[in-house]
Amino acid sequence: MLKALRGTKDILPDDIGMWQVVEAFARDIFSIYGYKEIRTPIIEDASLFIRSIGDATDIVRKEMYIFTDRGGRNIALRPEATASVVRAYLENSMAQNQDLTKLFYIGPMFRSERPQKGRQRQFYQLGVEAIGSDNPLLDVETIVLAARFLQKLGLRDFKVNLNSLGCEKDKQAIIKKYRDIIKPYLGSLCAECGERSKKNVLRVFDCKNEKCAEAVKGIKFDNLLCADCAEHFESVKKGLKNSGVDFIVEPKMVRGLDYYTKTVFEISSPDLGAKDAICAGGRYNNLIRDMGGKATPAIGFAFGMERLILAGKDKISMSAPSIAVFMAIADKALEYDAFKMMSLFRDNGLSCEMDREGRSLKSQMRKAQKLNARFTVILGEEEFRRDKVILKDMNSGEQKEAGMDEVLKEII
Ligand code: ATP
Ligand code: MG
């Protein structure tokens, strides 16, 4: 029997409710914060991601699904959406006359990683991008939005880690300094980190190998930010404190994508164990310029939805699925009339189901209960001849006769 590919999962009807609740909450709060949805293609020219995410990153080197299509083009399944959103922003001249463009997305991403709990090869992200301002209050707003979204979902004990990577110049200074600092440690790092230390030393601090993390644990990170970036970072911290969002400054947090500048952050949940990051984001003030647009500061984040749902499993409130009406048929001859009535209910916005297997009335009533029907309409021959049906309120258990033409009104 064929099976779903390793690292991919079906989201089944029994589980979809949680996904829909999370998406509905997200759409709600994103709209309150002024974001509009964008849907970009799942396939893109591979160079879009190689250039933006960086060719020394794990995502590009090891995780990206790349294939050559029938026209010989180099195509990637998107491993993340920021690069795609920026491409769409530029290609469609979305800046036009507005100073800030706020976009959100929900959709699948693809990374060829070793599957484990909270780590899949196809996973979903929901995220936002605010393009057009370097104001530190926008950083604050973005992090507050992520925090409020979690609180709205009922998740409260999350942790916000914060850092600043500075501007282009600061980043270069940081990289230069740590290339030297890392030298004595090279012997205790994995082979890849040896490579990383040459190509982009910051990647060493993002290595998932525990031995590497242990080896560099003792390295103290100095503040190498220029005056402007230091002030920006102070303003972000001040704004977060004013908004009541707790955070921890984590100087070693460099994030796994090259395009980040200035503010970066990660949100983790204690309910998740090893793979505890549910959200990550930051500023990418040079990406738009690097992709051929005019220099435009921007910031965004992405939530991993599988992890969000794992963390929220017992916290996100869900009402049991139900239907409005179940049509029970006492006589098979009335099947067509029942079907007609069911169509009338549905046309009027009521969810409705009926028996299709000629089961006994008793077993149909059990089915109505199982479907959590609010009402059951029973069609019996004797009543039908008098243009009546029996309407049963499944909450109170009361039942009464109702005229065929009244029953819809009664239910509504
Ligand atoms: P990790 O450290 O877990 O590999 P990352 O730094 O690669 O995460 P980002 O690229 O920042 O993750 O993506 C943002 C969020 O997307 C992560 O915090 C996580 O919740 C989710 N995510 C990333 N990769 C996966 C995956 N393979 N499976 C499920 N969720 C993922
Ligand atoms: Mg990763």
Side-chain angles (χ1 to χ4, degrees):
M1 197 170 46
L2 286 174
K3 290 198 165 148
L5 292 175
R6 194 166 129 78
T8 70
K9 268 197 188 138
D10 300 309
I11 304 168
L12 299 171
D14 275 351
D15 302 322
I16 202 77
M18 189 80 113
W19 288 76
Q20 287 167 340
V21 167
V22 169
E23 286 177 20
F25 273 89
R27 285 175 193 284
D28 230 34
I29 196 163
F30 291 168
S31 141
I32 290 170
Y33 279 70
Y35 286 86
K36 294 216 168 76
E37 184 173 4
I38 183 166
R39 298 188 193 185
T40 65
I42 280 165
I43 50 174
E44 298 269 2
D45 191 321
S47 65
L48 171 68
F49 302 111
I50 299 170
R51 272 170 45 192
S52 59
I53 298 171
D55 55 8
T57 58
D58 278 358
I59 296 182
V60 167
R61 283 170 50 109
K62 301 194 292 194
E63 299 171 1
M64 199 150 71
Y65 280 98
I66 299 194
F67 63 96
T68 312
D69 76 355
R70 288 169 199 276
R73 285 165 288 253
N74 212 16
I75 309 266
L77 300 185
R78 63 178 185 194
E80 60 114 37
T82 302
S84 308
V85 170
V86 168
R87 183 211 33 77
Y89 169 85
L90 290 173
E91 187 173 339
N92 300 289
S93 312
M94 290 177 74
Q96 281 167 358
N97 300 318
Q98 52 189 354
D99 44 344
L100 195 58
T101 306
K102 287 175 149 185
L103 302 165
F104 80 88
Y105 58 84
I106 302 178
M109 310 295 157
F110 305 83
R111 298 184 194 176
S112 175
E113 305 192 70
R114 194 174 62 79
Q116 61 189 97
K117 192 174 167 207
R119 191 181 286 302
Q120 293 174 200
R121 292 182 173 164
Q122 174 173 338
F123 61 99
Y124 283 77
Q125 282 187 340
L126 59 85
V128 304
E129 314 292 348
I131 305 173
S133 171
D134 189 41
N135 190 322
L137 268 181
L138 184 61
D139 308 36
V140 174
E141 185 186 295
T142 309
I143 297 169
V144 167
L145 166 57
R148 293 289 185 268
F149 171 55
L150 286 171
Q151 287 161 345
K152 221 173 134 151
L153 281 173
L155 279 91
R156 283 170 197 284
D157 41 3
F158 54 85
K159 222 173 74 189
V160 179
N161 282 336
L162 188 70
N163 193 21
S164 175
L165 301 174
C167 55
E168 193 67 49
K169 258 202 183 134
D170 297 346
K171 258 177 96 173
Q172 289 319 315
I174 292 172
I175 288 172
K176 188 160 171 286
K177 172 147 187 195
Y178 289 102
R179 201 178 286 147
D180 289 336
I181 287 186
I182 208 83
K183 275 188 189 141
Y185 296 86
L186 285 179
S188 19
L189 299 178
C190 69
E192 269 179 73
C193 276
E195 216 29 54
R196 292 186 179 114
S197 71
K198 282 180 243 154
K199 275 191 132 167
N200 183 346
V201 66
L202 291 185
R203 296 279 73 81
V204 173
F205 298 98
D206 200 42
C207 181
K208 297 290 180 305
N209 196 324
E210 268 170 40
K211 257 174 53 198
C212 297
E214 188 61 29
V216 301
K217 212 166 81 182
I219 297 180
K220 207 177 133 348
F221 270 65
D222 294 332
N223 185 355
L224 292 174
L225 301 181
C226 66
D228 278 355
C229 288
E231 194 190 316
H232 186 103
F233 195 33
E234 284 312 311
S235 306
V236 173
K237 290 191 269 186
K238 183 176 151 196
L240 286 176
K241 278 185 197 133
N242 278 345
S243 313
V245 174
D246 293 332
F247 60 88
I248 300 159
V249 175
E250 180 49 79
K252 275 206 190 78
M253 187 177 66
V254 297
R255 305 283 308 114
L257 303 92
D258 279 353
Y259 54 61
Y260 284 119
T261 54
K262 288 191 175 174
T263 311
V264 288
F265 61 96
E266 255 178 28
I267 302 177
S268 56
S269 159
D271 303 320
L272 284 182
K275 287 285 136 276
D276 64 351
I278 43 178
C279 173
R283 271 203 173 275
Y284 47 94
N285 282 357
N286 301 324
L287 180 61
I288 294 158
R289 178 205 66 197
D290 292 348
M291 283 176 56
K294 81 172 197 276
T296 311
I299 181 165
F301 65 63
F303 275 91
M305 291 184 70
E306 283 78 6
R307 292 188 203 173
L308 191 58
I309 283 164
L310 269 174
K313 217 170 41 219
D314 309 318
K315 302 185 177 81
I316 299 169
S317 61
M318 296 275 308
S319 45
S322 60
I323 60 168
V325 190
F326 186 80
M327 300 284 311
I329 312 159
D331 189 319
K332 179 110 173 115
L334 297 175
E335 204 176 33
Y336 280 83
D337 299 289
F339 185 83
K340 201 169 148 198
M341 202 163 213
M342 178 167 78
S343 300
L344 173 75
F345 289 150
R346 286 174 170 170
D347 290 345
N348 283 277
L350 299 171
S351 52
C352 185
E353 276 303 331
M354 64 182 255
D355 176 57
R356 295 161 207 267
E357 310 303 328
R359 287 194 185 91
S360 72
L361 195 56
K362 205 168 145 197
S363 111
Q364 291 184 59
M365 294 311 286
R366 269 202 303 272
K367 172 100 193 234
Q369 236 144 27
K370 210 170 129 203
L371 290 174
N372 206 4
R374 180 66 187 84
F375 292 96
T376 300
V377 171
I378 305 163
L379 252 74
E381 183 124 47
E382 193 270 322
E383 293 85 7
F384 190 75
R385 245 183 276 124
R386 291 186 283 115
D387 262 348
K388 301 260 188 219
V389 294
I390 296 168
L391 178 62
K392 179 167 181 179
D393 181 326
M394 301 296 280
N395 281 358
S396 63
E398 270 170 50
Q399 61 179 58
K400 60 174 181 192
E401 270 189 12
M404 293 270 234
D405 42 358
E406 302 158 8
V407 67
L408 172 69
K409 228 169 46 208
E410 285 261 352
I411 290 171
I412 286 174

